């Protein structure tokens, strides 16, 4: 009997962290209830998984933790039926997990190259996983310069604030955190929209790979800037998040032309997206 | 050989488009299987238009979607014109948005039989128009008691209702073709909360059909578009006729007759009958 | 006289090869010694059905009173089956139950659960054996498409759909060749045939004084193994019927050219002239779900949970790309917000996307979407216009 | 039969904030006895009650629904209950047409001063539904 791809495995919520001032973003750190599930779980930063609450439903989320971290982390915005129910759960609750699904960021291509991470809002999750993975002492030498531009609307809306403050001190990372409006806050230091900040920071495009994840409007204005900076379409990678129901290329919802975001994505090169309808 | 009405519609469409009085002429063109809505924007395409008994779709349903283009000329049968009145009553359309080419209607054929809704039609002629094309049609419709299903026994009515709605596959064709269903988000599509389950089990189907019928109260012109669109041949017309009858008997209102009237469920009379209240 | 699964027309980039199902190990192609066509009289046919009814679920076309149409219903005896003249009407299950629903039900339970026992999800009982009689060759071809779509892919990113497979492995499809195709039929234009055997286990042809039964798989051969072998005259009669039926379908579509033209529009969306073509074509479309729900190859589903008094189930329910809700994110952003982009998605799926995905067109030419469209949209006309308006 | 006698209906009651809810309150304060069958949902006005709420309650396991608001002319928002009355009238007649048992859904006007009347309405509605038995037609199961 083949395993049922629709069957979630049980995980326990070990830690819940409120991430923003609006209190609609929470991080859930999960552990596996069964040891064999933990052993069988392998993923690469950039992949996603479905969280599942029996009686409520399922929804896909990017994995925000790196493979080296002991707990699986998902950062979830309260926006629909499922996320509202999830936000009501406390430590100790058992929920379901399906995955990991999708491709990942292009690790082969990134190896030996500079990495530029551009992210806005709460889509920073899989890019956090990517960053943590790159910064692992055993992994860091494999990459060139690492530049991260991460923006949110206001200081209170930035994810993983304490962690970011620590990362800012690292010499082997250029981390620019920006907000649309500082409103008198003393942190972060930069005010401005992500595409504009990217233009000012101007990371070198030669031998670099850019990873972009953010709301549709940020993506639209980031492309031209990357192009200006000299990034060719095959060096720009986007993580997309179309509506999806199954994660395994059957339910149809997440198609962009003949591609499914769940199995052919969620990461697409800009070059590939140019050959697909603009349905993301 | 185009019939007279078709010839006049073609000529007027050409004139209205050439003179710029309308930007689009919404009419019918023959399809391989049945007449299709036609969206004519060039005078030379006016010759595609036809009018005959296969012209079923209620074109008023398209008006809110194309009115942004400019003034629309529209071919309207009796029921279609009542839908236009309804849209005017509900401020979905302004009178100057449309130029109405009214046509008397002898009923729409479905599978070469007179469509169910047309068998009880009381308004075969347009109630509002800028021009009447052809001769008015004779009202031949017999007023059918709302639903031949009105058995005295609640259990039998239940069996009938259950049997009808249990066939529903929730394709929402009835909703999509209905000029009165213009809500940007239908109650079945809300997710917070999700009022109606996505399944086709009986209780979800019942919820959908009862609320759909209720939303038609005082708003259904009995054009029968929903009934003809239904791939499962659900007797939607009986439900529609019933709500129309309730509204007529209780509030003295007939849908889509006068643009200045208010929709009956948005107003009240202090003396409305309330025998059903404890 | 070996009955072969015919090859479907290939479009650009399409993989050639047998359409033998990738799902279900039981459906082995029939061996040559068992492939001889047989003859069934009506009495023998009735006996076969009654034998099967005693063993498993049997579905066959039945005239339904409320709708006045033929649909598949579970039958309890051969006397309920309407076979006389059946080969002369259009596709069965135009309304009502269609073969697709017996393999991919509109609502299907994935798991039962109880919220008091989080983490415990129980799969439903496996489906029972079923035999479908009177399946049209177009619907057989559609099942073969679904087999491929729902089967696992080699890259393992898309595992096999075990729910579909479970039903498919327990299903026998007995086809009935169309002697008189309806005027909405166009199977030949998309690589099928009114007497095609793709996806079927056994094909019957109504010879008016009996049925010719051609085994396609071992499963099908087993049903008629004890029937007399057909004569040369029977075979010739069948051949004539098949040729006449084939000639009745005159629509042709250059599917390879169509796919090339469609693929060119992918990049110019939003601004290019193709967008205007799609907008014009989609004007009469009201984005209801009739065409997709009736389509034998449309297979999209939503997953939904329900809970009632301490018992719950996770179900999958058909969904349609024509609905706004289909692609709308929880945030409200909708990648296919416009009606014409949804209309386009459906046509592209049929003639381009699934060719890229699994190597096959997903239009089998059954014509249900034509006869059921409330606004008379005819996919043949749509395709004709696209071939005319889009550059090669 | 004994099952029928023991059947204790679950009734969802949509009570308007200004009259019927206060009426229920008064019934409680006055220690007037009435069956413990109702589950109250307070709404700002009977005009807030969408027929969808009523049907959803029945689908989700209620055996009956009671909607109660201010007497005509007494609406806190002047005309909310008049408009609601039209809506309920259509719902009432349509449910009857569809064969949903008469009495599953009831409507009443109860003012803030009518504690005894509120208890009486609940008694009457409960009795009706007890006679009808459990709601099976509109039930999700």
């Amino acid at each position: 009997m083949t395993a049922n791809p629709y069957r979630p495995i049980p995980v326990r919520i070990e830690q819940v962290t409120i991430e923003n001032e609006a209190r609609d973003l929470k991080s859930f750190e999960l552990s596996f209830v069964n040891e064999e599930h933990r052993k069988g779980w392998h993923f690469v930063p950039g992949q996603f998984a479905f969280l599942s609450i029996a009686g409520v439903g399922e929804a896909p989320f990017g994995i925000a933790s790196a493979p080296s971290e002991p707990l699986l982390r998902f950062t979830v915005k309260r926006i629909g039926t499922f996320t509202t129910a999830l936000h009501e759960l406390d430590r100790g609750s058992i929920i379901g997990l399906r995955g990991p699904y999708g491709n990942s960021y292009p690790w082969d291509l990134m190896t030996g190259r500079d990495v530029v991470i551009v992210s806005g809002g709460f889509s920073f999750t899989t890019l956090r996983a990517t960053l943590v993975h790159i910064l692992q002492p055993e992994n860091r030498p494999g990459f060139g310069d690492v530049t991260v531009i991460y923006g949110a609307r206001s200081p209170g809306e930035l994810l993983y604030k304490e962690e970011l403050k620590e990362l800012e001190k690292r010499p082997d990372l250029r981390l620019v955190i920006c907000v649309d409006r500082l409103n008198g806050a003393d942190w972060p230091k930069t005010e401005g929209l992500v595409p504009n900040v990217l233009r000012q920071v101007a990371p070198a495009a030669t031998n670099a790979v850019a990873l972009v994840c953010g709301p549709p409007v940020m993506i639209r204005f980031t492309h031209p800037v990357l192009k200006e900076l000299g990034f060719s379409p095959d060096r720009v990678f986007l993580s997309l998040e179309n509506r999806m129901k199954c994660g395994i290329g059957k339910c149809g919802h997440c198609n962009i032309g003949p591609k499914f975001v769940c199995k052919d994505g969620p990461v697409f090169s800009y070059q590939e997206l140019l050959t697909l309808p603009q349905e993301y | 050989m185009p019939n007279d009405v078709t010839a006049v519609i073609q000529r007027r469409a050409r004139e209205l488009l050439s003179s710029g009085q309308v930007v689009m002429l919404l009419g019918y063109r023959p399809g391989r299987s049945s007449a299709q809505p036609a969206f004519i924007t060039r005078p030379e395409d006016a010759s595609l238009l036809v009018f005959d008994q296969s012209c079923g779709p209620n074109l008023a349903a398209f008006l809110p979607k194309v009115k942004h283009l400019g003034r629309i000329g529209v071919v309207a049968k009796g029921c279609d014109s009542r839908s236009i009145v309804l849209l005017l009553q509900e401020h979905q359309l302004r009178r100057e948005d449309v130029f109405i080419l009214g046509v008397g209607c002898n009923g729409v054929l479905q599978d070469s039989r007179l469509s169910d809704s047309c068998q009880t039609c009381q308004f075969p002629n347009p109630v509002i128009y800028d021009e009447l094309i052809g001769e008015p049609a004779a009202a031949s419709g017999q007023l059918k008691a709302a639903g031949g299903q009105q058995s005295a026994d609640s259990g039998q009515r239940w069996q009938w209702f259950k049997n009808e709605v249990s066939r529903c596959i929730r394709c929402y064709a009835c909703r999509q073709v209905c000029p009165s269903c213009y809500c940007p988000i239908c109650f079945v599509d809300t997710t917070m909360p999700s009022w109606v389950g996505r399944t086709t089990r009986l209780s979800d189907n019942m919820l959908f059909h009862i609320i759909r019928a209720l939303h038609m109260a005082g708003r259904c012109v009995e054009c029968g578009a929903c009934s003809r669109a239904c791939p499962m041949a659900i007797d939607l017309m009986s439900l529609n006729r019933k709500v129309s009858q309730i509204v007529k008997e209780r509030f003295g209102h007939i849908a889509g007759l006068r643009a200045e009237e208010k929709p009956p469920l948005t107003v009240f009379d202090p003396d409305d009958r309330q025998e059903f209240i404890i | 006289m070996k009955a072969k699964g015919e090859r479907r027309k290939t479009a650009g980039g399409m993989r050639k090869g047998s359409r033998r199902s990738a799902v279900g190990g039981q459906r082995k192609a029939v061996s040559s010694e068992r492939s001889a066509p047989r003859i069934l009289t009506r009495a023998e046919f009735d006996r076969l059905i009654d034998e099967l009814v005693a063993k498993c679920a049997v579905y066959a076309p039945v005239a339904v009173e409320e709708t006045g149409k033929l649909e598949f219903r579970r039958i309890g005896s051969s006397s309920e089956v309407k076979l006389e003249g059946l080969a002369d009407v259009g596709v069965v299950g135009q309304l009502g139950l269609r073969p697709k629903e017996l393999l991919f039900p509109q609502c299907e339970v994935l798991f039962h659960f109880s919220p008091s026992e989080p983490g415990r999800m129980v799969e439903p009982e496996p489906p029972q054996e079923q035999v479908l009689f009177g399946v049209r060759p177009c619907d057989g071809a559609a099942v073969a498409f679904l087999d491929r779509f729902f089967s696992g892919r080699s890259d393992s990113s898309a595992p096999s759909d075990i729910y579909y497979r479970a039903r498919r492995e327990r299903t026998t499809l007995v086809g009935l060749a169309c002697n008189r195709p309806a005027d909405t039929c166009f199977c030949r234009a998309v690589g099928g045939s009114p007497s095609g055997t793709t996806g079927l286990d056994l094909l019957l042809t109504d010879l008016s004084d009996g049925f010719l039964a051609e085994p396609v798989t071992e499963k099908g051969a087993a049903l008629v193994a004890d029937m007399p072998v057909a004569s040369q005259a029977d075979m010739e009669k069948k051949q004539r019927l098949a040729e006449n039926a084939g000639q009745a379908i005159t629509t042709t579509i250059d599917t390879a050219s169509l796919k090339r033209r469609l693929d060119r529009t992918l990049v110019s969306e939003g601004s290019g002239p193709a967008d205007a073509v799609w907008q014009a074509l989609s004007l009469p479309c009201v984005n209801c779900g009739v065409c997709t729900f009736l389509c034998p190859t449309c297979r999209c589903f939503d997953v939904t949970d329900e809970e009632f008094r301490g018992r719950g189930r996770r179900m999958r329910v058909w969904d349609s790309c024509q609905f706004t809700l289909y692609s709308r994110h929880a945030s409200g952003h909708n990648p296919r917000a416009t009606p014409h982009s949804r209309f386009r998605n459906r046509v592209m799926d049929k003639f381009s996307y699934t060719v890229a995905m699994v190597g096959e067109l997903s239009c089998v030419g059954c014509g249900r979407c034509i006869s059921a469209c409330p606004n008379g949209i005819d996919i043949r006309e749509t395709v004709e216009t696209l071939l005319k308006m889009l550059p090669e | 039969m004994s099952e029928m006698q023991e059947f204790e209906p679950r009734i969802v009651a949509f009570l308007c904030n200004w009259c019927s809810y206060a009426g229920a309150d008064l019934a409680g304060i006055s220690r007037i006895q009435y069956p413990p069958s109702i589950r109250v949902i307070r709404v700002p006005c009977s005009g807030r009650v969408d027929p969808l709420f009523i049907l959803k309650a029945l689908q989700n396991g209620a055996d009956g629904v009671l909607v109660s608001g201010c007497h005509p002319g007494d609406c806190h928002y002047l005309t909310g209950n008049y408009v609601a009355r039209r809506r309920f009238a259509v719902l009432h007649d349509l449910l009857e047409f569809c064969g949903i048992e008469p009495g599953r859904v009831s409507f009443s006007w109860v003012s803030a001063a009518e504690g005894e009347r509120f208890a009486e309405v609940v008694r009457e509605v409960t009795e009706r539904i007890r006679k009808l038995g459990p709601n099976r037609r509109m039930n999700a199961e």
Side-chain angles (χ1 to χ4, degrees), chain A residues 20-240:
Chain A
N20 65 342
E21 275 174 355
R23 304 175 71 85
D24 61 356
L25 281 164
K26 283 185 179 179
S27 285
F28 296 85
E29 285 173 82
L30 312 172
S31 68
F32 293 92
V33 172
N34 300 323
E35 180 60 15
E36 82 258 30
H37 290 148
R38 189 189 64 77
K39 283 189 183 144
W41 177 271
H42 303 287
F43 75 100
V44 187
Q47 286 193 291
F48 68 96
F50 275 73
L51 297 182
S52 164
I53 303 174
V56 179
E58 297 187 305
F61 301 96
I63 303 171
S65 51
S68 55
E69 293 175 288
L71 294 176
L72 264 182
R73 186 197 296 202
F74 293 90
T75 302
V76 176
K77 189 178 172 79
R78 192 181 66 226
I79 200 165
T81 319
F82 178 83
T83 51
T84 302
L86 184 62
H87 268 238
E88 280 164 13
L89 294 180
D90 284 329
R91 224 158 66 170
S93 304
I94 306 284
I95 60 171
L97 172 77
R98 278 202 298 130
Y101 294 128
N103 60 5
S104 63
Y105 289 112
W107 290 98
D108 288 345
L109 186 70
M110 286 151 66
T111 305
R113 292 195 163 84
D114 295 350
V115 178
V116 178
I117 290 175
V118 185
S119 181
F122 69 98
S123 325
F124 187 50
T125 55
T126 58
L127 288 173
R128 179 217 171 256
T130 303
L131 183 60
V132 171
H133 188 68
I134 290 174
L135 294 178
Q136 288 295 309
E138 65 274 26
N139 297 338
R140 184 62 188 91
F143 303 91
D145 292 346
V146 178
T147 308
V148 177
I149 293 154
Y150 169 47
R153 283 202 184 133
S154 63
E157 293 303 301
L158 288 163
L159 296 178
Y160 319 130
K161 288 184 254 311
E162 294 313 309
E163 196 177 3
L164 289 175
K165 284 176 185 166
E166 287 305 308
L167 288 172
E168 272 186 325
K169 297 174 191 157
R170 284 186 73 126
D172 59 349
L173 166 69
R174 188 170 175 203
L175 174 59
V176 183
I177 302 165
C178 60
V179 288
D180 298 359
R181 284 170 304 278
L182 267 170
N183 296 333
D186 59 356
W187 185 83
K189 301 294 177 207
T190 315
E191 191 174 66
L193 299 168
V194 168
N196 298 339
V197 174
L198 171 66
R199 187 179 286 115
Q200 286 156 23
V201 174
T206 35
N207 205 33
V209 174
L211 312 179
V212 183
C213 192
V217 61
M218 187 207 91
I219 288 179
R220 194 157 62 242
F221 289 100
T222 299
H223 269 152
V225 179
L226 285 169
K227 201 176 164 192
E228 258 171 56
L229 295 174
F231 284 85
S232 61
D234 61 339
R235 292 293 175 85
V236 177
F237 292 83
L238 276 93
S239 182
L240 304 179

Side-chain angles (χ1 to χ4, degrees), chain B residues 149-224:
Chain B
Q149 293 70 21
Q150 200 158 28
S151 155
D153 176 47
S154 159
Q156 278 181 17
R157 293 198 303 272
W158 164 249
Q159 282 305 327
W160 164 78
F161 180 62
K162 195 170 98 169
N163 192 28
E164 292 299 318
V165 303
S166 61
R167 292 204 298 278
C168 180
I169 58 170
R170 302 278 286 280
C171 66
Y172 304 126
C174 49
R175 173 187 79 186
Q176 297 303 95
V177 298
C178 178
S180 298
C181 281
Y182 52 73
C183 289
I185 297 180
C186 177
F187 71 97
V188 293
D189 288 338
T190 60
T191 48
M192 289 277 279
S194 172
W195 283 109
V196 187
R198 310 269 285 156
T199 75
T200 48
R201 62 183 180 164
L202 185 60
S203 86
D204 281 336
N205 280 357
M206 271 180 8
L207 202 59
F208 170 61
H209 281 282
I210 293 177
I211 300 288
R212 189 202 67 84
L214 279 174
H215 286 182
M216 288 295 122
R219 309 179 62 244
C220 175
V221 301
E222 296 170 61
C223 67

Side-chain angles (χ1 to χ4, degrees), chain B residues 85 88-90 252-264:
Chain B
V85 169
L88 293 170
Q89 284 173 349
E90 299 185 352
H253 182 95
I254 297 174
L257 291 188
R258 279 176 294 277
E260 59 283 2
E261 270 182 325
K262 292 228 183 286

Side-chain angles (χ1 to χ4, degrees), chain C residues 39 85-89 136-137 176-182 187-188 193-196 203-214 232-249:
Chain C
I39 275 289
L86 188 62
D88 294 342
V89 299
R136 289 308 163 88
L176 177 66
C178 299
N179 289 350
R180 260 194 20 216
C187 56
R188 284 184 65 212
S193 147
S195 53
L203 178 71
L204 303 180
T205 304
D206 187 350
L207 302 180
S208 71
D209 51 352
F211 292 97
L212 181 81
E214 295 166 273
Q232 192 56 39
D234 293 331
M235 292 306 295
E236 280 162 12
K237 192 169 180 189
K238 184 241 144 144
Q239 206 52 45
R240 275 198 306 279
L241 285 168
E243 276 164 22
N244 288 341
Q247 280 159 13
I249 297 172

Side-chain angles (χ1 to χ4, degrees), chain B:
Chain B
M1 256 300 268
N3 60 38
D4 285 352
V5 176
T6 293
V8 180
I9 289 175
Q10 290 182 356
R11 176 170 57 76
R12 289 300 291 138
R14 210 173 290 121
E15 289 163 4
L16 288 166
L17 286 165
S18 311
S19 63
Q21 281 176 276
V22 301
V23 295
M24 177 185 276
L25 199 292
L26 191 45
Y28 299 95
R29 67 182 184 84
R32 274 202 223 179
S33 314
S34 63
Q36 252 190 44
F39 305 78
I40 306 293
T41 51
R42 298 184 306 179
E44 60 269 33
D45 292 339
S47 55
L48 293 172
L49 293 165
V50 291
F51 187 79
D52 58 31
Q53 286 190 289
S54 77
C55 296
N58 186 333
L59 297 178
F62 293 97
L63 289 172
K65 293 172 201 163
V66 293
K67 65 175 183 185
H68 66 276
L69 298 170
R71 195 176 196 205
I72 309 291
V74 58
V75 176
K77 309 186 288 287
C79 49
D80 308 341
S81 76
R82 289 173 66 199
S83 286
I84 294 173
V85 169
L86 191 104
L87 292 170
L88 293 170
Q89 284 173 349
E90 299 185 352
H91 308 290
Q92 298 303 310
L93 206 62
R94 291 170 309 174
R95 185 65 184 87
E96 60 270 28
D97 290 338
V98 282
F99 187 98
I100 306 167
L101 293 176
V103 281
C105 171
N106 294 314
V108 173
L109 299 180
Q110 187 185 22
D111 297 335
S112 34
R113 281 197 308 273
L114 195 60
S115 169
D116 178 23
S117 60
C118 305
Q119 291 175 24
T120 56
C121 177
Q122 298 296 297
F123 299 93
N125 294 304
V127 297
I128 187 174
Y129 53 83
D130 293 289
E131 256 175 62
L132 184 66
I133 292 176
E135 294 300 312
S140 61
Q142 301 291 314
L143 196 60
K144 228 193 216 173
Q149 293 70 21
Q150 200 158 28
S151 155
D153 176 47
S154 159
Q156 278 181 17
R157 293 198 303 272
W158 164 249
Q159 282 305 327
W160 164 78
F161 180 62
K162 195 170 98 169
N163 192 28
E164 292 299 318
V165 303
S166 61
R167 292 204 298 278
C168 180
I169 58 170
R170 302 278 286 280
C171 66
Y172 304 126
C174 49
R175 173 187 79 186
Q176 297 303 95
V177 298
C178 178
S180 298
C181 281
Y182 52 73
C183 289
I185 297 180
C186 177
F187 71 97
V188 293
D189 288 338
T190 60
T191 48
M192 289 277 279
S194 172
W195 283 109
V196 187
R198 310 269 285 156
T199 75
T200 48
R201 62 183 180 164
L202 185 60
S203 86
D204 281 336
N205 280 357
M206 271 180 8
L207 202 59
F208 170 61
H209 281 282
I210 293 177
I211 300 288
R212 189 202 67 84
L214 279 174
H215 286 182
M216 288 295 122
R219 309 179 62 244
C220 175
V221 301
E222 296 170 61
C223 67
C226 53
S227 215
R228 287 190 293 272
C230 180
M232 307 309 288
I234 297 171
D235 185 5
L236 297 166
M237 276 312 292
S238 283
L239 290 165
N240 294 341
R241 285 194 187 101
K242 181 64 195 179
V243 286
S244 294
Q245 181 203 331
I246 296 168
V247 169
K248 189 176 172 206
E249 281 173 6
R250 285 190 175 269
F251 317 129
H253 182 95
I254 297 174
L257 291 188
R258 279 176 294 277
E260 59 283 2
E261 270 182 325
K262 292 228 183 286
L265 264 71
T266 65
V267 292
F268 63 91
D269 179 336
D271 299 325
D272 282 334
R273 272 194 302 130
Q274 56 167 17
E275 83 298 340
F276 64 96
I277 287 172
I278 298 174

Side-chain angles (χ1 to χ4, degrees), chain C residues 126-161:
Chain C
Q128 64 179 141
E129 280 287 337
Q130 56 182 6
V131 181
L132 276 60
F133 275 94
V135 175
R136 289 308 163 88
C138 53
D139 278 339
V143 171
F145 167 80
L146 292 178
D147 287 348
R148 190 167 267 185
F149 185 85
F150 280 126
S151 70
R153 317 250 165 90
S154 53
D155 61 2
S156 83
S157 63
S160 174
D161 187 289

